[in-house]
Amino acid sequence: MIFTHGYSCYPRSKNLRQKILDPLFEINRSYLSRAMATSSSSHAYIHHTAISYTPPKWAERLSKVPKERIILGVLPTPLHKWNIQNLPCGMEVYVKRDDLTEMQMSGNKARKLEFLMAEAKGNGHDCVITIGGIQSNHARATAVASSYLGLPCHLILRTSRQVVDKDPGLVGNLLLDRLSGANIHLVTKEEYGCNGSGKLMDILSQRLVSEGKRPFLIPVGGSNATGAWGYLEAIREMEN
């Protein structure tokens, strides 16, 4: 393993890549190609290219309105009525099915990444950094989105000292992270608590800048002003 500024980066094994990761990645790419080719006309924009963004009327006066959006999820997602017994009279419960956004990026993470990745591409960044837990859904979604868009992805993943000191393997989201070609940087929970997510990303960013890169930093969960526009779009979907 290579330790740099508290990070543990394990170099990819050529044999592992040839025997396991490369064939699985090809299967993954084949599935995506078929899914995109057979997608309905209502999802005609799921080609991972930037499109101009027009905010809802009620959000036009907000600051920093994004100029573009990259369609990453299968949207809009359906709104299903949840029939629960003994609800108060006149009350109804509905579930916004964001688990149906897409197989590799299932969940609400795709919503924020549509705007975050558009900002990264629009401002000329050539790689992406984000941070989270060892099985972070946000990190996995960022790795997949970066792969779609041809941007190298760096994931800083928080875990125990025992895992940092060895290869964490291909368990859960780590499999998809590695299939997507993400660069994995492991930090201990103690290092994370001592430094914080912002400082850890800054350290890695400085290293990449020294190598001539232009990294785009995405905070934990993609939760910032840019990512929030994904949820404004969810509200517009429910209005319609």
Side-chain angles (χ1 to χ4, degrees):
M1 292 187 186
I2 306 168
F3 292 91
T4 308
H5 299 300
Y7 297 98
S8 167
C9 311
Y10 45 87
R12 297 174 192 168
S13 162
K14 183 177 180 180
N15 289 335
L16 175 66
R17 185 169 67 249
Q18 289 178 338
K19 292 181 180 179
I20 301 177
L21 298 184
D22 282 353
L24 286 174
F25 191 52
E26 286 305 312
I27 292 171
N28 189 45
R29 290 174 62 88
S30 176
Y31 171 85
L32 289 175
S33 298
R34 292 197 305 272
M36 289 172 64
T38 58
S39 61
S40 67
S41 59
S42 63
H43 300 142
Y45 285 117
I46 191 165
H47 297 300
H48 314 124
T49 56
I51 61 173
S52 297
Y53 177 68
T54 302
K57 289 289 185 181
W58 42 264
E60 289 178 344
R61 295 186 180 182
L62 294 178
S63 62
K64 298 182 179 179
V65 176
K67 296 180 180 179
E68 293 181 322
R69 168 189 182 189
I70 295 178
I71 303 301
L72 295 171
V74 179
L75 301 172
T77 54
L79 195 64
H80 289 171
K81 185 176 181 180
W82 191 8
N83 295 310
I84 303 176
Q85 296 181 355
N86 303 319
L87 284 175
C89 182
M91 178 180 290
E92 294 180 332
V93 176
Y94 290 83
V95 178
K96 183 69 168 157
R97 294 295 306 277
D98 274 10
D99 58 308
L100 301 177
T101 49
E102 192 204 356
M103 186 182 75
Q104 287 84 358
M105 297 185 67
S106 61
N108 57 9
K109 311 304 181 185
R111 292 189 180 276
K112 292 184 274 191
L113 287 168
E114 288 192 336
F115 292 93
L116 291 163
M117 300 304 283
E119 182 178 332
K121 294 283 285 187
N123 291 334
H125 295 277
D126 56 13
C127 58
V128 172
I129 300 172
T130 196
I131 189 168
I134 189 71
Q135 290 293 339
S136 167
N137 288 328
H138 160 71
R140 178 256 301 160
T142 302
V144 173
S146 298
S147 179
Y148 284 161
L149 302 175
L151 291 175
C153 181
H154 294 264
L155 303 179
I156 304 172
L157 302 180
R158 179 186 68 251
T159 187
S160 66
R161 169 59 67 184
Q162 290 81 3
V163 175
V164 166
D165 288 338
K166 63 180 181 181
D167 188 319
L170 301 169
V171 179
N173 280 336
L174 275 171
L175 173 61
L176 290 175
D177 294 341
R178 299 178 79 170
L179 283 173
S180 300
N183 299 281
I184 308 296
H185 308 264
L186 299 180
V187 295
T188 66
K189 296 175 182 178
E190 293 76 16
E191 289 167 332
Y192 186 94
C194 179
N195 294 284
S197 61
K199 183 176 179 180
L200 291 173
M201 286 198 296
D202 285 341
I203 292 172
L204 179 56
S205 176
Q206 291 168 14
R207 194 184 86 193
L208 293 174
V209 168
S210 71
E211 298 171 359
K213 306 296 184 182
R214 292 197 62 203
F216 181 74
L217 278 60
I218 299 177
V220 176
S223 299
N224 61 11
T226 300
W229 283 93
Y231 293 108
L232 298 185
E233 279 302 299
I235 294 172
R236 173 150 62 180
E237 288 178 17
M238 289 187 282
E239 283 186 326
N240 296 333

